[in-house]
């Protein structure tokens, strides 16, 4: 696995292409493909040709990478690039080039929620003060740092944003946290949630717990009609609401609407009994959002010796609901959902 191979070399003064943090580790896995471990953005793979395309959205990519950072690897690129690299990593998550705007929280209220949740995740106890170095704070708090050509903004344009965020979160209107620089106005920034902040965290957690929407990714072929109904029934019996994009009434383009439904769902169920690249794409997007994905596959397909029928290597190794008939699928799915979320 390439995850164990790290060869440090000079690339843009050894700075992360998105947040510009130093002390990263990276290697050229293969021609024009970089595997990067950044202290702020985490682990990700990208084609160097795509770096130029993303210069105008460096701030957004940095925010997305920071808030989706876990121990696993993100693959940034188109579906072809994802397919070429996914088998090299354990449970990689997919960040499609054409969905940056969809993944990035555009609303101010959503950004505030991400900020508070990040402080809460880092806090070991009530009253714990968190330190944010400069690059970390800018990514975590969605500070605009770069021009459309990827060059750095003047600090006189960055600093007012930082002070505005500090003033807002600690201001009397919301009063969620105590945030500020050191006495000499230098980094790191210190942040501590107060009682109002922790109460807001509880409200967000309750809202997530009460989310009953589950997105279904699967083939829409006629032969999958009974599977569709079995999945819907299994989800309904567990007390949740199934969402299928072809059953949603809307006046928007299909892909942005699909992304919105996945974002608004608690998790995703995918059935891969009938090979469908779109369903894999939707599952990868859900992984990129950090959502739970439940895989289902008919035993006949799971055991098939035909390469174009059995599940892809990267998902066949995962825990999966393997079902013999639709009644078993419904029953197993209901039990699985209840065991995960009750």
């Amino acid at each position: 696995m390439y995850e164990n191979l790290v060869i440090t070399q000079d690339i843009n003064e050894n700075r992360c292409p998105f947040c510009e943090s130093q002390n990263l580790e990276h290697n050229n896995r293969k021609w024009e493909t970089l595997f990067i471990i950044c202290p702020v953005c985490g682990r990700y793979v990208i084609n160097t040709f795509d770096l130029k395309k993303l210069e105008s959205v460096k701030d957004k990519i940095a925010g997305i990478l920071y808030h989706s950072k876990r121990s696993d690897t993100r693959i940034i690129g188109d579906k072809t690039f994802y397919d070429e690299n996914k088998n090299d990593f354990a449970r990689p998550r997919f960040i499609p080039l054409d969905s940056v705007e969809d993944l990035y929280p555009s609303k101010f209220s959503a950004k505030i929620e991400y900020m508070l949740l990040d402080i809460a995740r880092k806090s070991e106890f009530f009253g714990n003060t968190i330190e944010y170095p400069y690059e970390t704070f800018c990514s975590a708090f969605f500070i605009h740092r770069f021009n459309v050509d990827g060059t750095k903004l003047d600090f006189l344009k960055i600093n007012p944003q930082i002070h505005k965020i500090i003033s807002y979160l600690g201001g009397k209107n919301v009063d969620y946290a105590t945030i500020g620089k050191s006495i000499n106005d230098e980094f790191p920034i210190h942040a501590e949630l107060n009682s109002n902040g922790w109460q807001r965290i509880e409200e967000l957690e309750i809202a997530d717990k009460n989310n009953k929407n589950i997105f279904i990714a699967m083939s829409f072929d006629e032969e999958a009609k009974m599977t569709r109904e079995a999945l819907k029934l299994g989800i309904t019996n567990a007390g949740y609401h199934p969402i299928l994009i072809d059953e949603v009434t809307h006046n928007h383009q299909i892909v942005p609407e699909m992304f919105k439904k996945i974002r608004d769902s608690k998790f995703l169920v995918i059935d891969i009994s009938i090979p469908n690249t779109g369903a894999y794409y939707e599952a990868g997007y859900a992984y990129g959002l950090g959502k739970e994905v439940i895989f289902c596959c008919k035993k006949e397909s799971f055991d098939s010796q035909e390469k174009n029928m059995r599940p892809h290597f990267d998902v066949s190794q995962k825990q999966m609901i393997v079902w013999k008939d639709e009644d078993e699928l419904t029953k197993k799915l209901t039990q699985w959902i209840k065991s995960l979320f009750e």
Side-chain angles (χ1 to χ4, degrees):
M1 288 291 184
Y2 286 106
E3 289 176 307
N4 298 320
L5 172 64
V6 178
I7 306 171
T8 304
Q9 59 184 37
D10 291 333
I11 175 171
N12 192 23
E13 299 179 355
N14 203 35
R15 292 179 181 269
C16 173
F18 300 114
C19 73
E20 295 201 346
S21 295
Q22 300 186 60
N23 302 317
L24 71 156
E25 301 173 84
H26 58 274
N27 69 75
N28 286 83
R29 299 178 53 247
K30 44 194 174 185
W31 175 248
E32 299 296 344
T33 300
L34 289 173
F35 171 48
I36 294 175
I37 305 176
C38 170
V40 177
C41 297
R43 307 157 70 90
Y44 62 92
V45 177
I46 190 166
N47 190 309
T48 54
F49 289 116
D50 289 331
L51 291 176
K52 188 71 176 177
K53 301 177 187 176
L54 296 172
E55 284 184 344
S56 63
V57 289
K58 284 174 65 173
D59 287 313
K60 294 181 178 180
I61 293 287
I64 291 168
L65 286 172
Y66 176 82
H67 285 285
S68 67
K69 183 173 66 174
R70 292 173 183 81
S71 60
D72 46 8
T73 301
R74 280 71 49 81
I75 298 177
I76 307 171
D78 57 23
K79 188 176 183 303
T80 300
F81 184 72
Y82 174 75
D83 288 339
E84 289 173 350
N85 291 275
K86 62 185 178 182
N87 290 340
D88 294 334
F89 301 93
R91 194 174 179 175
R93 285 179 286 149
F94 184 31
I95 298 180
L97 288 176
D98 58 1
S99 67
V100 171
E101 298 295 337
D102 297 296
L103 284 168
Y104 186 78
S106 57
K107 293 183 178 180
F108 179 71
S109 58
K111 292 177 181 176
I112 295 300
E113 290 177 3
Y114 273 103
M115 297 173 197
L116 295 177
L117 287 167
D118 189 65
I119 301 172
R121 275 193 296 266
K122 292 176 179 293
S123 300
E124 297 180 12
F125 49 84
F126 180 75
N128 188 200
T129 300
I130 309 304
E131 288 191 352
Y132 283 95
Y134 173 74
E135 287 85 3
T136 304
F137 183 87
C138 288
S139 292
F141 289 72
F142 304 103
I143 302 300
H144 180 53
R145 289 170 282 175
F146 304 104
N147 295 300
V148 293
D149 62 357
T151 57
K152 195 76 168 284
L153 282 173
D154 187 284
F155 192 71
L156 293 177
K157 294 182 178 179
I158 297 175
N159 205 38
Q161 298 178 62
I162 295 172
H163 284 288
K164 285 285 186 182
I165 287 294
I166 291 173
S167 298
Y168 177 82
L169 289 175
K172 62 181 181 180
N173 291 328
V174 294
D175 190 25
Y176 287 145
T178 301
I179 302 180
K181 295 183 181 180
S182 59
I183 296 176
N184 55 2
D185 200 37
E186 294 181 354
F187 280 85
I189 280 181
H190 302 273
E192 177 189 324
L193 289 181
N194 58 26
S195 56
N196 290 334
W198 283 110
Q199 183 175 341
R200 180 57 183 151
I201 293 297
E202 288 183 6
E203 292 171 355
L204 294 173
E205 290 174 345
I206 291 172
D208 180 66
K209 185 177 180 180
N210 292 335
N211 182 2
K212 296 298 183 180
N213 292 329
I214 298 179
F215 190 91
I216 299 176
M218 63 178 297
S219 169
F220 293 147
D221 290 355
E222 183 65 25
E223 60 183 296
K225 188 174 181 179
M226 291 180 65
T227 303
R228 168 198 287 250
E229 296 308 314
L231 290 169
K232 291 169 65 175
L233 184 57
I235 291 169
T236 302
N237 287 348
Y240 289 81
H241 177 62
I243 302 290
L244 288 116
I245 193 63
D246 67 332
E247 295 182 357
V248 176
T249 302
H250 61 85
N251 295 316
H252 309 116
Q253 292 183 340
I254 189 68
V255 173
E257 184 65 21
M258 178 188 72
F259 284 154
K260 181 180 184 302
K261 293 300 180 185
I262 295 175
R263 287 199 307 273
D264 293 344
S265 295
K266 188 175 184 68
F267 59 96
L268 181 142
V269 172
I270 174 174
D271 186 84
I272 52 177
S273 303
I274 298 176
N276 183 282
T277 55
Y280 281 100
Y281 181 82
E282 292 157 26
Y285 180 76
Y287 271 134
L289 293 170
K291 293 183 179 291
E292 184 74 37
V293 176
I294 298 176
F295 285 87
C296 307
C297 186
K298 193 170 186 178
K299 184 171 174 50
E300 181 181 338
S301 299
F302 188 81
D303 294 336
S304 175
Q305 298 303 308
E306 296 182 34
K307 186 177 181 181
N308 64 335
M309 284 299 297
R310 66 177 184 265
H312 290 182
F313 171 79
D314 60 326
V315 300
S316 62
Q317 307 302 311
K318 302 183 189 306
Q319 209 171 16
M320 185 179 302
I321 296 176
V322 180
W323 53 276
K324 296 178 182 178
D325 55 46
E326 283 74 17
D327 287 341
E328 184 179 42
L329 171 59
T330 294
K331 182 178 180 180
K332 283 187 173 182
L333 181 57
T334 298
Q335 291 173 341
W336 196 303
I337 294 171
K338 287 185 174 181
S339 68
L340 280 176
F341 301 103
E342 291 187 0

